[in-house]
Amino acid sequence: MMQVAKEAGQAKTSTNVAIALREVAKDFGAQSVVQNLSVEIGRGELFGLLGPNGAGKSTTIRMIIALTRPSAGQIEVAGWDVQQFPEAVKRSIGVVLQQTSVDGDLSVWENLEFHGRMHHIPNPERQARIRRWLDYVGLSDRRNALVKTLSGGMKRRLQIARALLHEPQVLFLDEPTVGLDPQTRRRLWEIIQDLNQQGMTILLTTHYMEEAEFLCDRIGIMNQGQLIELGTWGELRSRYGQAIALGQRSEQWETHFFSDLAAAEAYVDQLSERKGWLVRDSNLEDIFVSLTGQQL
């Protein structure tokens, strides 16, 4: 990956940590949106950040990518302090937003050409990179097509190609597969996995629980501005339970975690009323709902 040049009088921190947040907080007036957030994401890690709407995820991402200043705490990205060296941070990252952010009235190639010039990538290197990333995301045959004629999945793949054009060290994916059909979503999973296997550090936000289970090395769950859980998917399942029993009493659902299916079945068997109870393997959504009290 491209190395960011040193800022005047300041060298990058030599570390295996790609993103570090230390006691970060963000207030908007009297409202506390992010509170005392501390977490480290290693180089080459694919980290999933989950949380219900209003949990503080978007504000956290905006602080990390130098679009919003924290009220307190310190953030480092690719070894750079975000508040002291925001331009170095921006050169070190690629961002794919949930909203379509490519110009529909330009062609696929023109969008990448414009982005490459904004990052001062010289020719012929710029053209080589455009060809490389269009081929990587499967859009070489659409290079001259207007973006507004592309499908939603193609536009998302173009956004990924654009985010990678300047060869960032860290890639931010904000709900990259939302609204896409299952086939297109799985194709993007393949791209994300492959980038990570090549060594790219990726921070992913998603509302699809199976996406986080499948892709992420570690998962952080935010609620009400705080990081309330952190671990691998395997660690979370071991912590809360490999199996779950769900049943409806009156108008409310009850959920109980157990170490395994046999324990869950034994619990249901001893109930006086077993009708309507379900026993199955637990999943990430079960844990999320248990922690936050609401579904994504």
Side-chain angles (χ1 to χ4, degrees), residues 219-233:
I219 296 164
I221 299 177
M222 290 188 70
N223 194 37
Q224 298 180 354
Q226 300 182 38
L227 188 68
I228 60 174
E229 190 54 278
L230 177 67
T232 67
W233 167 225

